[in-house]
Amino acid sequence: GENVEQHPSTLSVQEGDSAVIKCTYSDSASNYFPWYKQELGKRPQLIIDIRSNVGEKKDQRIAVTLNKTAKHFSLHITETQPEDSAVYFCAARGPNYGQNFVFGPGTRLSVLP
Amino acid sequence: DAGITQSPRYKITETGRQVTLMCHQTWSHSYMFWYRQDLGHGLRLIYYSAAADITDKGEVPDGYVVSRSKTENFPLTLESATRSQTSVYFCASSGFSGLTGEQYFGPGTRLTVT
């Protein structure tokens, strides 16, 4: 089945700097890659996603890139702010898994003022 | 977000007791999911359901039972709770098919088994 790895597990950046989180997946048939943000004590919420037929997607300060050949995708956050501090989860979904996602273990991002 | 709710939000129970966690969504989404979240493991799928009366196992189903008699409800039962089932449980739903399929998460239930 699908396996998703995520790095780094923790990341500290200064406010205003950029943050990059990388995920790799194992099933080349996976076709949908969402990123969820989870603030402390809250539910995970979708922040951006990308389909396998797209290489990059941007939404204001966040962007996701996908490299299908290497089977990895990355989350980029620019001009980080304290409210970006949270745990970020990547996920992958393959055509044989119905609506099921396989999540990475998460990255705890701390934005230092 | 108000469209998917979980109850109770917090629960303490003893080893061996039966516990049922409730999940209710108002969007008429076809798919519903149960995850557990533990430090270092992220979100792991316990069971999922593609429609009423259709359920299937996820990654970590042992010790859990689900049912889905109505589209809007997806209860999760721990038949005989164990300490290893202490966790935060999230229910999620999804109404899309094809290439997208965003999952919307409930607020979570923090379960402690003593």
Side-chain angles (χ1 to χ4, degrees):
Chain A
E2 176 66 278
N3 181 53
V4 177
E5 297 184 352
Q6 185 172 347
H7 298 281
S9 56
T10 61
L11 179 61
S12 293
V13 299
Q14 290 294 135
E15 182 177 356
D17 287 351
S18 295
V20 180
I21 303 170
K22 182 176 177 178
C23 288
T24 59
Y25 60 98
S26 60
D27 190 341
S28 57
S30 288
N31 58 14
Y32 175 65
F33 308 93
W35 285 90
Y36 282 79
K37 175 183 179 182
Q38 186 178 27
E39 297 176 356
L40 189 63
K42 301 288 182 65
R43 72 189 81 190
Q45 292 193 302
L46 181 75
I47 56 171
I48 196 168
D49 56 10
I50 192 167
R51 305 175 189 178
S52 59
N53 59 349
V54 175
E56 183 176 359
K57 184 177 179 180
K58 278 187 176 182
D59 184 2
Q60 299 183 334
R61 295 187 298 108
I62 61 173
V64 56
T65 59
L66 172 65
N67 183 327
K68 287 198 299 182
T69 302
K71 291 189 284 187
H72 67 71
F73 56 111
S74 299
L75 177 70
H76 305 256
I77 306 174
T78 59
E79 301 173 15
T80 54
Q81 301 167 3
E83 52 265 38
D84 294 328
S85 296
V87 178
Y88 292 81
F89 293 97
C90 62
R93 192 198 71 186
N96 297 323
Y97 309 132
Q99 291 292 316
N100 295 346
F101 295 166
V102 175
F103 283 87
T107 295
R108 181 174 299 278
L109 173 65
S110 299
V111 180
L112 308 174
Chain B
D1 288 346
I4 182 165
T5 57
Q6 293 182 235
S7 61
R9 295 293 313 280
Y10 303 91
K11 177 74 176 178
I12 300 174
T13 192
E14 295 177 343
T15 301
R17 298 255 188 190
Q18 183 179 84
V19 178
T20 296
L21 310 184
M22 304 301 294
C23 179
H24 176 78
Q25 52 103 355
T26 59
W27 294 307
S28 299
H29 283 171
S30 297
Y31 286 87
M32 296 187 75
F33 311 84
W34 274 107
Y35 294 92
R36 61 177 290 172
Q37 185 173 39
D38 306 290
L39 197 62
H41 290 281
L43 293 153
R44 292 184 291 175
L45 183 66
I46 304 170
Y47 270 94
Y48 67 99
S49 169
D53 297 322
I54 301 175
T55 63
D56 208 346
K57 297 177 180 178
E59 180 185 355
V60 288
D62 293 343
Y64 303 95
V65 174
V66 293
S67 62
R68 195 168 175 207
S69 58
K70 292 184 177 181
T71 299
E72 61 267 30
N73 296 325
F74 191 37
L76 175 74
T77 298
L78 290 66
E79 293 192 303
S80 179
T82 65
R83 289 196 181 89
S84 65
Q85 293 177 309
T86 292
S87 187
V88 179
Y89 291 85
F90 285 100
C91 177
S93 71
S94 174
F96 299 99
S97 60
L99 286 180
T100 55
E102 176 182 354
Q103 292 187 14
Y104 297 86
F105 284 81
T109 294
R110 183 175 294 276
L111 176 67
T112 302
V113 183
T114 61

